[in-house]
Amino acid sequence: MGLNTGYVLVKGLSRDELLTRLGAKVGGPVELPLSWKAPISLGPTVQGWTIIGDPWGRVGDSPRRLVPLSRDATVISGCLQETTMYSQAVMYVDGRFRWKVFSDCSKPDERGMHVISKGDAPQSLAERIRRAREKELQTGGDHQFNVPLDLITEATGGVISGRYPWHDEEEGVVYRELIFAGDDA
């Protein structure tokens, strides 16, 4: 059994502004923010990027939340579902959708390719896909799964890993539950 989780990364907003835009307030501590059982949670800020644990995609899959959240900011939504080998990265900048890249191994084309992009994807995408497919042909396994997650690492300048952005093992780092007005998250 693999890890299934999601998160949202925000750069360019203060914590207070982020909460205002989400219509949320901070609640109690969340023990395991990466767990699929966890509530949406506000995590640390790492070199300007604030991490929101969003295992169910209630923020990260919602353009109505991501567009206003990204005004005058950069927002990246990521998810990984190792049990189904699906991964996704979506970027919004200054209130606009930029790109979405996802890998769904249940839907390969006739060449075995299953990374799809929409919008203005990063220039590195084609080369990343080529290298992933080459590794698959040489060693087996699903290396295309990592392509969207690697784009997140690239977009954050390597500050945050697209695969595991969690800092819950560091002493003193606490994720806190996000409570939404009317519980409409």
Side-chain angles (χ1 to χ4, degrees):
M1 186 165 174
L3 175 68
N4 293 328
T5 194
Y7 52 88
V8 177
L9 307 171
V10 181
K11 185 171 188 169
L13 296 181
S14 69
R15 178 180 160 132
D16 289 342
E17 182 61 24
L18 186 148
L19 291 169
T20 298
R21 290 185 189 191
L22 285 176
K25 63 181 180 178
V26 177
V30 174
E31 196 169 318
L32 293 171
L34 70 160
S35 166
W36 65 272
K37 297 177 185 179
I40 300 171
S41 55
L42 184 62
T45 299
V46 179
Q47 294 186 25
W49 290 93
T50 300
I51 302 169
I52 299 171
D54 186 26
W56 294 97
R58 293 170 70 191
V59 173
D61 289 341
S62 173
R64 78 176 177 87
R65 290 199 187 276
L66 295 175
V67 168
L69 192 59
S70 70
R71 287 195 181 102
D72 300 317
T74 299
V75 174
I76 301 171
S77 169
C79 83
L80 55 148
Q81 298 172 1
E82 291 177 344
T83 56
T84 59
M85 293 308 287
Y86 177 90
S87 62
Q88 173 180 294
V90 182
M91 179 182 265
Y92 286 79
V93 178
D94 292 327
R96 295 179 186 216
F97 169 79
R98 278 283 172 88
W99 51 262
K100 176 180 181 176
V101 176
F102 63 95
S103 170
D104 186 351
C105 80
S106 70
K107 299 179 182 177
D109 67 14
E110 65 281 351
R111 299 169 300 145
M113 306 298 285
H114 55 79
V115 175
I116 310 268
S117 69
K118 297 177 181 182
D120 190 17
Q123 289 183 345
S124 66
L125 178 61
E127 178 61 17
R128 287 183 183 283
I129 294 170
R130 186 195 68 71
R131 285 194 316 246
R133 186 63 182 139
E134 191 175 276
K135 276 185 182 177
E136 288 174 357
L137 293 171
Q138 290 174 355
T139 64
D142 182 1
H143 295 275
Q144 292 177 69
F145 173 83
N146 293 325
V147 169
L149 306 173
D150 290 344
L151 290 174
I152 293 170
T153 303
E154 177 184 307
T156 65
V159 171
I160 296 175
S161 164
R163 297 198 81 194
Y164 304 104
W166 314 105
H167 294 270
D168 58 322
E169 293 180 8
E170 292 180 18
E171 189 174 324
V173 175
V174 176
Y175 281 75
R176 302 191 73 83
E177 182 176 3
L178 285 177
I179 301 167
F180 291 82
D183 196 33
D184 67 345

